[in-house]
Amino acid sequence: MNTALRLALVAAALAGATAAHAETIGFTKTTVGGVSLTATTGTITGSNLCASSGTCAQAITYNTTAGGKLTVTAADGADFDTLAYVHQSNLNNAGLGVVTGYMKPTGFHIADLNYSLSQPKETLTLSFQNTVSLSQLVFFPDDRLTLSLTKELDSFDGFTISVDGKAAVEYSFGNNGGQPVTLSTPLVGKTFTFGYAVKKSSEDYYLAGITVAAVPEASTWAMMGLGLVGIVAAARRRQRA
């Protein structure tokens, strides 16, 4: 076996090992648009303030294979409804959104009855324990009960993603109604914050699911590199013998 073939086999094995850690995490149940998702059940921080419509809390955490613990939180702009809670709808073909409101003596008062991301000032943040590569997303429109699930979100509409606190980048929902949206270049990081479009038309949306893959740590890549060097050296010694 020549050196080039050995290197190709090792590279393929390494790529396969990384791909094996890829997983799709669903936040709703759906089979729309050729996408199959099952709603993952999370653990809430605090009490559930939206029991009739699903789950909303200060944070919802999920256990993932690719990224370890995933914590989802929400934020809102500075106005009278200063509090924001992440919401996971109990409806099919929906997903994660944001509930905003304010505290009263009797408890939390919900001011926004649209539980998707429905305001430019609302954001939804997904924080992984480990670094992941985000390659695909699934979205549903907020008015999912009255309009077509595959036509409400289109290529003229958009959303933004900020990775690890960096500047937000705008993306299109594409031609499949947001089911799914495949990123031409996967995003690598631990924290992904979703928001409204700036240049494209902004549409209210649920985040229905994501596909992520584990990213080896620097020490792992170093060990892989040493392995490749060893293979090359062994092959050269055989050629000289």
Side-chain angles (χ1 to χ4, degrees), residues 148-163:
S148 172
L149 289 173
T150 59
K151 294 183 179 180
E152 177 66 7
L153 303 177
D154 58 33
S155 58
F156 297 101
D157 307 321
F159 61 97
T160 64
I161 305 178
S162 169
V163 181

Side-chain angles (χ1 to χ4, degrees), residues 81-142:
D81 54 339
T82 55
L83 299 178
Y85 294 87
V86 58
H87 176 262
Q88 183 174 10
S89 175
N90 59 5
L91 299 174
N92 294 342
N93 311 320
L96 294 178
V98 179
V99 171
T100 59
Y102 53 91
M103 292 302 299
K104 297 177 65 175
T106 55
F108 178 67
H109 176 77
I110 297 174
D112 177 16
L113 297 180
N114 185 327
Y115 296 166
S116 66
L117 271 80
S118 58
Q119 299 290 335
K121 55 192 176 64
E122 295 176 351
T123 57
L124 191 68
T125 298
L126 280 64
S127 301
F128 288 90
Q129 180 181 0
N130 304 318
T131 301
V132 296
S133 172
L134 174 64
S135 59
Q136 195 173 76
L137 308 106
V138 180
F139 299 96
F140 281 111
D142 67 320

Side-chain angles (χ1 to χ4, degrees), residues 64-85:
T64 76
T65 301
K69 181 181 178 181
L70 165 61
T71 301
V72 184
T73 56
D76 188 31
D79 51 22
F80 76 95
D81 54 339
T82 55
L83 299 178
Y85 294 87

Side-chain angles (χ1 to χ4, degrees), residues 17-83:
T18 301
H21 288 85
E23 70 175 309
T24 297
I25 305 164
F27 303 113
T28 189
K29 180 180 180 181
T30 186
T31 55
V32 174
V35 174
S36 179
L37 293 177
T38 300
T40 303
T41 300
T43 302
I44 68 172
T45 299
S47 58
N48 182 8
L49 303 171
C50 309
S52 62
S53 65
T55 301
C56 69
Q58 296 174 9
I60 305 179
T61 59
Y62 306 87
N63 293 318
T64 76
T65 301
K69 181 181 178 181
L70 165 61
T71 301
V72 184
T73 56
D76 188 31
D79 51 22
F80 76 95
D81 54 339
T82 55
L83 299 178

